[in-house]
């Protein structure tokens, strides 16, 4: 059976000398693998690459936590041409994904949601599981690698200490105030217009859940730029907040890889992750009926799913909207949706069934889809392309074969115009 790293990177990597390296040589117990997304044309990359090279060589020479295990890096090029790729790799003492493997590079970019470079993703060489997607910031803050490989600390270890009660400004002990509760980590700032719209929605849902006796608490993690702005911001918040200038702010933001606000991360009573998409959960379910919003393997396509459509690869089964058709769609999608959902962080597809309404029509227009039902498609909005099943009769077998063919790279996509569904 192929190792997860070979599934991600292929069987063979290259060095600047032209030497080929078997990917499986990177795999193994106590090995750490970094995926370095960068490019020759990128000024921030030019500044960061020497730091990473120094760190890598220091590690190899035993200067960074000796005995930790082997550390290897794979360059994932965003260079515009092969000449740029060779120039970049020439300054790097590690391996690279061959330049021509565009599909592999795109798959990695989507999997780790890389939207800008430089980025450094750290993986466990034995399991292939992600340790952190924010190696760049970790290295900038920890140049000597004292905490390398920067595994996420247990939430309870990060949060311990004093918190403030937002509207009362009273100090409380974090461990006592949060014990036994579902926790929402709310990342926002007073200067952020989308935050100004979302905070009142979150407040209403929070108060509904508290009135219903649900064990739910929110901790505000600020990105405010001044004490005055922070104090003005938290004055209307009925939940707990981390004090301004507290080192836990940066630590928690980095640990959860937050690169945009507003964001709401939902944790269970033990501090385990329930969902990174709490914001979409609140918008979709302001009454809190699905609290604490564990991700579902299969969802109905509504306008609330616009963000997910824009950022992910989604399988959609369009129907004529009749209840019988919707029931059949859920039935034929269920097994494969659950199968893929169980992959956790390795899940590549989100699953939806669609009825007959204005938003579903917008999605059809967006991808230039024919107006027939049932219609089975895989919509790849980040790459602006769609895969359409020719099947006119749906069954579990038809859906499973379509999904498996996509995952195996056997399907041919069709491009569509450069637009996106209107977000809610």
């Amino acid at each position: 059976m192929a190792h997860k790293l070979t599934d991600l990177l292929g069987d063979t990597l290259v060095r600047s000398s032209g030497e080929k390296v078997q990917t499986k040589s990177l795999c193994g117990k106590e090995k750490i693998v970094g995926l370095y997304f960068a490019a020759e044309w990128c000024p921030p990359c030019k500044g960061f690459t020497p730091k990473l090279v120094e760190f890598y060589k220091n590690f190899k020479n035993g200067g960074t936590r000796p005995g930790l295990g082997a550390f290897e890096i794979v360059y994932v090029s965003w260079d515009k041409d092969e000449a740029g790729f060779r120039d970049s790799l020439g300054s790097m003492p590690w391996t690279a994904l061959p330049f021509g493997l565009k599909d592999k590079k795109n798959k990695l970019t989507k999997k780790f949601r890389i939207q800008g470079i430089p980025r450094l993703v750290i993986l466990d060489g034995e399991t292939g599981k992600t340790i952190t997607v924010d190696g760049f910031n970790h290295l900038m803050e920890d140049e000597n690698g004292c905490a390398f490989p920067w595994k996420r600390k247990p939430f309870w270890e990060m949060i311990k200490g004093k918190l403030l009660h937002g509207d009362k400004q009273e100090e409380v002990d974090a461990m006592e105030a949060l014990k036994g509760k579902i926790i929402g980590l709310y990342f926002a700032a007073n200067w952020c217009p989308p935050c100004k719209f979302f905070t009142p929605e979150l407040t209403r849902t929070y108060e509904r859940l508290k009135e219903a006796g649900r064990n739910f608490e929110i901790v505000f993690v600020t990105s405010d730029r001044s004490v005055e702005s922070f104090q003005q911001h938290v004055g209307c918040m009925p939940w707990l907040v981390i004090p301004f200038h507290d080192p836990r702010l940066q630590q928690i933001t980095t640990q959860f890889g937050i690169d945009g606000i507003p964001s709401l991360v939902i944790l269970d009573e033990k501090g385990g992750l329930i969902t990174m998409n709490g914001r979409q959960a609140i918008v979709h379910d302001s009454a809190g009926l699905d609290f604490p919003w564990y991700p579902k393997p299969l969802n109905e396509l509504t306008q609330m799913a616009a963000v997910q459509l824009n950022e992910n690869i989604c399988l959609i089964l369009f129907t004529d909207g009749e209840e019988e058709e919707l029931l059949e769609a859920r039935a034929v999608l269920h097994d494969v949706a659950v199968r893929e959902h169980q992959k956790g962080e390795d899940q590549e597809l989100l699953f939806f069934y669609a009825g007959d309404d204005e938003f579903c029509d917008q999605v059809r227009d967006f991808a230039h889809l024919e107006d027939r039902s049932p219609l089975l498609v895989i919509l790849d909005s980040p790459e602006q392309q769609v895969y359409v099943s020719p099947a006119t009769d749906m069954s579990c077998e038809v859906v499973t074969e379509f999904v498996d063919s996509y995952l195996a790279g056997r399907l041919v996509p069709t491009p569509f115009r450069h637009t996106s569904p209107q977000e809610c």
Side-chain angles (χ1 to χ4, degrees):
M1 181 181 293
H3 189 277
K4 185 176 175 181
L5 284 177
T6 59
D7 289 341
L8 285 173
L9 302 172
D11 294 327
T12 307
L13 305 171
V14 297
R15 295 190 183 277
S16 58
S17 63
E19 175 193 358
K20 293 183 178 180
V21 177
Q22 294 299 303
T23 305
K24 64 183 180 182
S25 67
L26 277 59
C27 309
K29 189 174 182 180
E30 297 185 352
K31 289 190 176 182
I32 306 296
V33 178
L35 303 183
Y36 181 40
F37 297 80
E40 186 273 337
W41 51 262
C42 167
C45 299
K46 290 180 182 291
F48 181 70
T49 297
K51 291 180 180 292
L52 184 57
V53 169
E54 181 181 2
F55 179 84
Y56 177 80
K57 289 181 176 179
N58 186 32
F59 187 99
K60 290 293 188 182
N61 292 330
T64 301
R65 298 182 63 193
L68 177 66
F71 178 42
E72 291 298 339
I73 296 177
V74 179
Y75 176 47
V76 183
S77 167
W78 278 34
D79 293 298
K80 297 177 181 178
D81 51 42
E82 192 156 358
F85 169 70
R86 288 196 298 269
D87 285 346
S88 294
L89 189 56
S91 65
M92 299 174 182
W94 45 72
T95 60
L97 189 72
F99 182 73
L101 298 183
K102 182 179 178 181
D103 289 345
K104 289 289 185 185
K105 175 239 178 180
N106 290 341
K107 184 176 181 179
L108 292 167
T109 298
K110 293 172 189 174
K111 175 178 174 59
F112 298 109
R113 301 193 177 192
I114 307 299
Q115 298 180 338
I117 52 176
R119 288 289 295 273
L120 179 63
V121 175
I122 306 295
L123 306 177
D124 184 304
E126 181 178 16
T127 65
K129 291 188 176 298
T130 304
I131 295 175
T132 179
V133 296
D134 203 22
F136 172 84
N137 283 327
H138 281 297
L139 181 55
M140 295 299 288
E141 296 169 7
D142 179 25
E143 293 185 359
N144 293 322
C146 295
F148 183 80
W150 306 303
K151 292 182 179 180
R152 180 182 292 175
K153 293 183 179 179
F155 171 73
W156 293 109
E157 181 180 330
M158 289 190 288
I159 197 63
K160 62 184 178 182
K162 297 296 183 181
L163 299 175
L164 299 176
H165 200 290
D167 52 0
K168 300 176 184 177
Q169 290 293 291
E170 297 174 349
E171 280 194 352
V172 298
D173 180 75
M175 307 296 279
E176 290 297 322
L178 300 175
K179 184 178 180 180
K181 295 183 179 179
I182 300 293
I183 301 163
L185 298 177
Y186 182 39
F187 302 83
N190 203 25
W191 50 262
C192 164
C195 300
K196 291 181 182 293
F197 284 100
F198 181 66
T199 299
E201 292 185 57
L202 180 58
T203 301
R204 287 190 288 270
T205 300
Y206 172 81
E207 291 175 342
R208 288 190 187 104
L209 291 169
K210 299 293 277 188
E211 290 171 3
R214 309 304 293 270
N215 286 329
F216 182 47
E217 191 52 77
I218 292 176
V219 178
F220 176 55
V221 186
T222 186
S223 293
D224 288 308
R225 294 166 177 163
S226 68
V227 175
E228 293 75 19
S229 179
F230 170 75
Q231 291 175 337
Q232 180 184 9
H233 197 190
V234 303
C236 62
M237 292 181 175
W239 45 67
L240 304 176
V241 304
I242 299 175
F244 193 73
H245 280 326
D246 191 300
R248 289 174 293 178
L249 294 170
Q250 185 59 49
Q251 184 181 39
I252 291 175
T253 299
T254 299
Q255 288 285 331
F256 285 96
I258 303 300
D259 55 10
I261 54 175
S263 289
L264 179 66
V265 175
I266 307 295
L267 307 177
D268 65 22
E269 296 91 337
K270 295 181 179 179
L273 180 66
I274 292 177
T275 180
M276 295 288 293
N277 296 317
R279 178 187 175 190
Q280 286 82 5
I282 295 291
V283 171
H284 183 64
D285 177 35
S286 61
L289 299 178
D290 291 329
F291 175 83
W293 305 293
Y294 283 98
K296 298 178 181 178
L298 178 61
N299 293 279
E300 183 172 4
L301 184 66
T302 68
Q303 187 153 2
M304 299 303 178
V307 171
Q308 291 173 300
L309 285 185
N310 286 330
E311 296 181 353
N312 299 277
I313 306 172
C314 302
L315 179 142
I316 307 170
L317 177 53
F318 290 92
T319 75
D320 61 11
E322 296 293 331
E323 185 60 30
E324 182 178 345
E325 293 291 321
L326 293 174
L327 287 171
E328 183 179 350
R330 289 195 288 268
V332 300
L333 292 175
H334 178 269
D335 288 354
V336 70
V338 169
R339 184 194 77 180
E340 293 303 303
H341 183 70
Q342 290 173 341
K343 292 180 178 179
E345 67 174 36
D346 294 325
Q347 182 176 358
E348 295 185 34
L349 293 172
L350 301 183
F351 288 77
F352 295 91
Y353 59 93
D356 182 18
D357 64 22
E358 184 177 348
F359 181 72
C360 295
D361 290 341
Q362 288 177 7
V363 175
R364 283 184 186 263
D365 292 342
F366 160 58
H368 291 184
L369 298 173
E370 57 186 302
D371 187 16
R372 66 173 169 91
S373 298
L375 175 64
L376 182 64
V377 305
I378 292 174
L379 191 65
D380 184 350
S381 296
E383 291 296 320
Q384 298 283 287
Q385 56 193 21
V386 63
Y387 304 80
V388 180
S389 169
T392 55
D393 293 321
M394 291 298 141
S395 67
C396 296
E397 293 74 20
V398 167
V399 175
T400 301
E401 172 61 24
F402 186 56
V403 170
D404 289 346
S405 294
Y406 169 78
L407 296 176
R410 295 194 297 265
L411 300 183
V412 178
T414 301
F416 50 86
R417 66 173 182 247
H418 189 69
T419 57
S420 59
Q422 182 180 356
E423 293 192 16
C424 56

